[in-house]
Amino acid sequence: MKKVLYMIVGTAIIGLASCSKNIDSYEGPTETLQGTFTSKLSGKPVQSDVGQDGYGSGGSGTNGNGTRIQLRELSWSANPTSQYVTGKQDGTYINTKLFTGRYELTPIGAFVPFTTLDTMDIKGGTTTKNFVVEPFYEVEWNSAPVVQADGTIQANATVTRGTNNPAYQLNMNDIWLFVNASPYIGEVTFNGTYSYSHPLTADPGKWPYGQQYTFKTKPGVKIPSGTWYIRVGARMNVTVGGKVRFNFSTPVQVTIPSAK
């Protein structure tokens, strides 16, 4: 009887060891995909909104306001589940946890949508894929920000169209000077007490594209001393990937000294 019991226990242990071996036999994702979104007009990285999809730079969320890449791995299926790489606000992106395979890449952001898709192999460690895009707007600073006597901030910037495609030359819908205590500024991550939505004229088509414009924080609201960041964001009413997305300037740091 004892012999039979020993045989049963031994068989169970071998079975468990075999299952453990099968579970651990698959290697984790180790491939890296990285790159930059560059403006066709200026040659500069395309400034983006903060990702805000809840999954970070290697996630699978679909709610990000900024630039992202839809990935579809074609190695095993002709109709795979999509995953997403969320771009950074400086125009770069990186994902360090992808499986080796053949992927279809679809860039999504505040730029003219791509009519053809890239298909490429991701293997060998690090794969770099840069995208040249036509942003809806180019937003450039003309001068350093100045702290006014009333405690507000103002700076000059220029907004120009980033594409000649008439389908994406609609009237401007919103233009903001965003303010935040962090350099990560976007449609969600801003301080509403000091940020200011600049009024458009009765005819939004008359926005002075290509001309210097003075942007201000919320009139009459004093910003307390400390380190702050400002960023201009402009958008038209065009939905890309389920979102109406802003084009941005770079974030700029502003130090407001303590009152004497």
Side-chain angles (χ1 to χ4, degrees):
M1 184 67 181
K2 288 183 178 180
K3 184 176 181 180
V4 173
L5 180 61
Y6 291 153
M7 290 177 64
I8 294 172
V9 173
T11 301
I13 292 173
I14 293 172
L16 289 173
S18 176
C19 289
S20 176
K21 183 177 180 181
N22 288 337
I23 292 173
D24 294 339
S25 63
Y26 295 100
E27 295 185 1
T30 59
E31 298 298 323
T32 294
L33 175 66
Q34 64 181 18
T36 303
F37 292 90
T38 302
S39 168
K40 181 179 180 180
L41 179 66
S42 68
K44 298 179 180 180
V46 176
Q47 299 295 309
S48 173
D49 206 339
V50 183
Q52 288 298 321
D53 70 356
Y55 295 89
S57 63
S60 58
T62 60
N63 297 320
N65 297 322
T67 302
R68 58 196 178 100
I69 301 173
Q70 180 185 34
L71 295 178
R72 299 174 71 247
E73 186 181 359
L74 305 176
S75 307
W76 309 106
S77 171
N79 189 29
T81 300
S82 296
Q83 56 183 310
Y84 294 85
V85 180
T86 302
K88 300 179 182 180
Q89 71 173 17
D90 65 357
T92 64
Y93 73 91
I94 185 170
N95 185 314
T96 61
K97 298 295 182 182
L98 291 173
F99 286 104
T100 299
R102 188 159 188 81
Y103 289 82
E104 180 184 84
L105 285 68
T106 307
I108 302 169
F111 44 76
V112 176
F114 281 50
T115 56
T116 58
L117 304 179
D118 282 302
T119 302
M120 62 185 300
D121 292 319
I122 297 177
K123 62 181 181 180
T126 298
T127 301
T128 299
K129 175 61 178 176
N130 298 319
F131 294 94
V132 177
V133 302
E134 296 180 55
F136 302 143
Y137 295 118
E138 300 268 6
V139 188
E140 298 284 347
W141 294 110
N142 299 123
S143 64
V146 176
V147 180
Q148 302 297 296
D150 63 357
T152 61
I153 300 171
Q154 72 176 44
N156 296 326
T158 299
V159 179
T160 56
R161 294 193 184 276
T163 176
N164 293 321
N165 189 323
Y168 299 97
Q169 289 195 328
L170 306 182
N171 291 340
M172 187 181 294
N173 200 52
D174 289 292
I175 188 159
W176 283 72
L177 180 61
F178 291 106
V179 183
N180 203 18
S182 161
Y184 300 103
I185 315 175
E187 183 184 356
V188 177
T189 52
F190 70 94
N191 188 310
T193 302
Y194 313 116
S195 300
Y196 184 51
S197 176
H198 283 66
L200 298 175
T201 63
D203 181 2
K206 291 184 178 180
W207 178 265
Y209 294 109
Q211 299 179 34
Q212 182 171 291
Y213 185 88
T214 300
F215 290 90
K216 304 175 182 179
T217 56
K218 189 170 290 184
V221 181
K222 183 178 180 179
I223 302 176
S225 62
T227 300
W228 297 88
Y229 297 84
I230 62 172
R231 198 180 192 200
V232 176
R235 66 179 175 179
M236 64 180 70
N237 191 22
V238 172
T239 300
V240 180
K243 297 284 183 177
V244 179
R245 302 167 191 269
F246 279 93
N247 290 109
F248 288 94
S249 68
T250 57
V252 174
Q253 180 178 313
V254 185
T255 301
I256 299 181
S258 301
K260 295 182 180 180

